[in-house]
Amino acid sequence: MTLITIVIPTFNRTDLIFNCLTSIIAQTHKNWECIIVDDHSKSDCYQLLYNFCKKDDRIKLHKRPVNLKKGANACRNYGLDISKGEYIVFFDSDDLLKPEKLEKQLKLIKKTNKKYVISQSEVVDTITNSRRPWGNIETISPFEDYIQFKATWPIGAILLDKKYLNSINLKFNENLAQSQEYDFYLNLLKQNSDFSIDNTVLNTIIWHPESISFSKNNYYNKSKSSIYVKYKLLVNNKLKEETQLFLIKDIYRIYFQSMMNKDLKTGFISGLYFLKSHFYLYSNLKKKFPKHSFYVLISYFVFGLFNKGYRFLNLKIN
């Protein structure tokens, strides 16, 4: 029977990960290994997790080697390196798998002979007490639609062929504090956008106040990472005008939010990359570089220092 590896990074999440592991144990496909890579949690959290893992020898607990960079990205890469499965699922410690997740995706990837398959997901929002589909996974232009979030999926929605991942040397960028999954899947789509889709909901994403996506900690580094990923997309790809416009608007969105929050450090880096991006845009937007430069400079100094000149900050980009 085919072995599937599930890789889960975790850090001080013992109150959430047990539900995740319970959903893995309940899989109808029984031949799996779950590699948990602990990012040096508190000792009591690690011990609780260690005790739980002794209940099922398919669950293997490892600590991130100290020579690797702290963070989920390095943990995922390490988990991939030591995995034994033919196929890989990257998963988050606070999310859940439907019982038939592995079985259905394995059947689909073997039937279609693709390098990866994507299934639909649902979101349970504990803040608003609501449930909804994650988003659209159907697309005829996967790379550019994923850039613009016209097609989107969470990290655990995909079953990947491990040999293929290794053949293209695809890893998570360990220098990113945000947008790492976005970056990983865009690199995958750029290499190979021929995948199969199952619209069945096979995993559940839990949104809660402690979710990393909701956290405002480390805002500067998170913003810098997000800007870097989008700037790299503009520089290294011949994108449609619509996609270029989306990316530069998103970089400006970070600048706008930073200035509104009086975060001049983040405002400086986002404003700088917003202006640098103009050199990689289609001609009509590139021509607006002088105007946009003027608005950014005025808004940075006048709005940033004196809280005036909002009209210069509220720049319309089209």
Side-chain angles (χ1 to χ4, degrees):
M1 187 181 290
T2 303
L3 178 65
I4 298 174
T5 299
I6 304 165
V7 177
I8 303 176
T10 188
F11 178 68
N12 292 337
R13 282 286 180 88
T14 51
D15 56 331
L16 299 167
I17 195 173
F18 294 149
N19 288 335
C20 175
L21 295 175
T22 300
S23 75
I24 294 172
I25 293 171
Q27 290 299 296
T28 55
H29 178 84
K30 300 300 182 182
N31 195 26
W32 51 262
E33 64 170 359
C34 177
I35 296 176
I36 303 170
V37 184
D38 179 76
D39 200 16
H40 295 262
S41 300
K42 297 175 183 177
S43 58
D44 57 335
C45 293
Y46 182 85
Q47 188 61 45
L48 285 170
L49 193 54
Y50 175 79
N51 292 339
F52 184 94
C53 292
K54 289 194 295 185
K55 298 178 181 179
D56 194 317
D57 61 8
R58 294 173 296 177
I59 305 174
K60 301 164 185 177
L61 179 60
H62 299 264
K63 279 197 174 184
R64 170 186 52 80
V66 293
N67 62 307
L68 297 181
K69 195 166 186 175
K70 183 173 178 59
N73 301 334
C75 292
R76 288 174 180 140
N77 289 338
Y78 178 68
L80 175 62
D81 288 341
I82 64 174
S83 65
K84 297 178 181 177
E86 185 178 343
Y87 297 99
I88 300 289
V89 175
F90 294 107
F91 213 66
D92 283 338
S93 60
D94 48 357
D95 297 332
L96 308 173
L97 287 75
K98 300 292 185 180
E100 66 277 16
K101 154 85 172 180
L102 299 183
E103 181 182 0
K104 291 198 69 172
Q105 288 198 316
L106 181 61
K107 285 181 179 178
L108 182 60
I109 203 168
K110 288 191 171 184
K111 178 181 177 180
T112 58
N113 199 30
K114 305 294 185 183
K115 301 304 181 185
Y116 61 104
V117 296
I118 305 174
S119 60
Q120 184 57 273
S121 306
E122 65 178 356
V123 175
V124 172
D125 189 336
T126 63
I127 298 173
T128 61
N129 195 29
S130 61
R131 184 186 298 262
R132 63 172 178 78
W134 173 271
N136 176 50
I137 59 175
E138 299 278 358
T139 171
I140 58 173
S141 183
F143 183 64
E144 301 214 17
D145 282 353
Y146 193 82
I147 289 175
Q148 297 185 62
F149 302 105
K150 291 181 178 180
T152 180
W153 46 83
I155 189 166
I158 297 187
L159 179 73
L160 301 120
D161 184 309
K162 179 185 173 181
K163 284 185 179 179
Y164 178 70
L165 282 184
N166 289 337
S167 72
I168 61 175
N169 195 30
L170 183 58
K171 294 288 185 72
F172 288 89
N173 186 335
E174 297 178 11
N175 294 316
L176 296 178
Q178 195 172 54
S179 300
Q180 56 268 40
E181 298 160 19
Y182 180 69
D183 177 71
F184 178 86
Y185 284 133
L186 282 171
N187 287 328
L188 176 62
L189 288 168
K190 188 174 180 179
Q191 294 274 0
N192 180 358
S193 60
D194 184 21
F195 55 85
S196 294
I197 287 176
D198 182 353
N199 275 304
T200 308
V201 172
L202 294 180
N203 41 288
T204 301
I205 311 305
I206 309 297
W207 279 4
H208 52 87
E210 296 178 16
S211 296
I212 293 175
S213 56
F214 287 99
S215 174
K216 295 182 180 179
N217 296 331
N218 202 19
Y219 179 75
Y220 173 75
N221 285 328
K222 288 180 179 179
S223 297
K224 189 169 67 171
S225 293
S226 182
I227 293 165
Y228 168 78
V229 171
K230 293 171 176 62
Y231 180 75
K232 185 178 67 170
L233 287 167
L234 283 170
V235 172
N236 295 333
N237 301 280
K238 293 182 179 179
L239 302 171
K240 297 176 184 176
E241 292 182 3
E242 176 189 0
T243 309
Q244 292 181 4
L245 186 59
F246 172 87
L247 288 169
I248 197 168
K249 279 185 174 181
D250 206 56
I251 294 173
Y252 191 80
R253 174 190 59 81
I254 298 173
Y255 173 73
F256 179 89
Q257 291 177 344
S258 303
M259 297 306 297
M260 290 297 293
N261 294 332
K262 299 300 179 186
D263 184 349
L264 296 184
K265 183 180 179 181
T266 307
F268 177 82
I269 194 73
S270 54
L272 176 64
Y273 273 90
F274 170 69
L275 296 179
K276 285 176 64 175
S277 297
H278 283 71
F279 296 101
Y280 303 96
L281 299 170
Y282 63 92
S283 58
N284 287 341
L285 193 54
K286 189 182 296 185
K287 291 176 183 177
K288 297 183 179 179
F289 175 76
K291 176 187 175 181
H292 290 175
S293 299
F294 174 75
Y295 272 65
V296 167
L297 289 171
I298 294 296
S299 61
Y300 184 82
F301 288 104
V302 176
F303 189 85
L305 296 176
F306 304 106
N307 203 30
K308 295 181 179 180
Y310 177 79
R311 70 184 183 92
F312 291 104
L313 181 63
N314 192 27
L315 176 61
K316 304 299 180 184
I317 304 170
N318 49 44

